[in-house]
Amino acid sequence: AVLNNVVYCWQDDADQLKLYKATATGWVLVPYYSEVSFTAGTAEYVDGDTITQGGNTATVKRAVKESGDWLAGTAAGRLIVDPVAGVLAAGAAAGDGACTLSGAPAQITCGPLSRVQTVVYNFTASTTTRRLYGCDGVNREFEFDGEVYVPLTTGMGSVRAVAVACHKNHLFYLYNGSLQHSGIGNPYAWTPLLGAGELGTGDIGTNLTTVSGSEASAALMVQCQDSTWVLYGTSAADWQFQRISEEGGAQPYSAQAFDGAPIAFDQENF
């Protein structure tokens, strides 16, 4: 994958999937940090903040708010942290913010035998927040900014996405016969209360492809083994999910877009 003119790659190594960055001196391993869940957040942590518990500390690499509100004291989610000095445990945490930790930080790991797919997208108005969003069919779906790897909690448990797309300011993942999207402008929000949603295909999903068009007509094509669907609209308030073929589908990983037109291999092509 390429992000901000830097090349990244994933490689199976024994029982792990490792992430590398291309540099002038060769491939350099990108470390996965640790994550810890929190609830009852009352004061927001931002990237670079320090979290403390007595004499124990950690640096916040990414604050992942998945639900609730900091001002209301109900923020919940995860903190990606590194390094950790001492031992953080379940209980109140302070520092540059305030919340209740659900336990100790755990090392982020990725298992092998996957096939990584990514898209580049920017969910903010800042020029510094272009990030990779991806899935690999084995590990948790993720966000990556070139340094911080953030596994996403989509609510699907052990079921992993087979395709990814960013469309109309939503993050989309395709799970078997289920197309799911994040809240508007928030790839960490996967609850309907924050605008997330789900659409069913009744067929095994294989590919997601953005179909070019005008501002009003750009759509998301959802290809399955034996059917093809198109999603029109801008959000859960006006989605129109239309099946355009009951026979023609696409093989996994085969879809590409050329000048806005999707091309893929169906079973009949073999």
Side-chain angles (χ1 to χ4, degrees):
V2 179
L3 176 66
N4 297 326
N5 298 318
V6 178
V7 180
Y8 299 90
C9 77
W10 288 259
Q11 182 181 49
D12 279 348
D13 184 359
D15 60 346
Q16 301 179 61
L17 179 68
K18 293 185 175 180
L19 173 58
Y20 291 88
K21 173 182 178 179
T23 72
T25 57
W27 292 103
V28 175
L29 181 67
V30 177
Y32 298 131
Y33 297 136
S34 297
E35 62 181 338
V36 57
S37 297
F38 73 88
T39 59
T42 58
E44 183 175 5
Y45 292 97
V46 298
D47 298 355
D49 277 354
T50 298
I51 182 171
T52 64
Q53 262 188 348
N56 306 307
T57 66
T59 298
V60 176
K61 294 293 188 177
R62 185 66 34 79
V64 183
K65 184 178 75 69
E66 298 167 339
S67 64
D69 184 82
W70 291 103
L71 293 177
T74 58
R78 286 168 297 128
L79 299 173
I80 310 300
V81 296
D82 186 84
V84 178
V87 179
L88 298 178
D96 294 314
C99 67
T100 299
L101 300 184
S102 300
Q107 176 66 47
I108 295 170
T109 60
C110 291
L113 304 178
S114 63
R115 181 165 178 169
V116 179
Q117 302 179 77
T118 62
V119 294
V120 177
Y121 201 75
N122 191 347
F123 281 98
T124 79
S126 171
T127 59
T128 64
T129 51
R130 282 167 50 88
R131 294 172 182 172
L132 286 172
Y133 294 90
C135 63
D136 63 21
V138 174
N139 299 289
R140 286 180 289 172
E141 298 72 38
F142 66 88
E143 173 192 81
F144 178 61
D145 67 355
E147 178 195 0
V148 184
Y149 183 94
V150 181
L152 301 177
T153 302
T154 63
M156 287 299 289
S158 61
V159 179
R160 304 303 181 207
V162 298
V164 58
C166 291
H167 178 70
K168 300 292 187 181
N169 218 23
H170 298 75
L171 176 57
F172 280 84
Y173 284 116
L174 187 58
Y175 301 87
N176 296 324
S178 172
L179 175 67
Q180 300 189 23
H181 64 80
S182 71
I184 300 174
N186 189 350
Y188 302 150
W190 291 87
T191 168
L193 294 176
L194 297 177
E198 178 180 14
L199 300 157
T201 65
D203 193 3
I204 300 299
T206 56
N207 299 275
L208 295 175
T209 309
T210 298
V211 183
S212 298
S214 68
E215 180 181 354
S217 65
L220 181 66
M221 178 167 284
V222 181
Q223 293 166 311
C224 302
Q225 285 186 351
D226 299 298
S227 61
T228 299
W229 303 70
V230 176
L231 179 67
Y232 301 99
T234 58
S235 71
D238 64 354
W239 291 136
Q240 298 179 54
F241 197 38
Q242 305 291 334
R243 182 167 56 189
I244 62 173
S245 174
E246 297 183 6
E247 297 179 355
Q251 292 295 302
Y253 313 111
S254 70
Q256 298 289 329
F258 294 93
D259 292 329
I263 299 175
F265 285 113
D266 192 0
Q267 293 190 41
E268 300 299 324
N269 295 108
F270 292 91

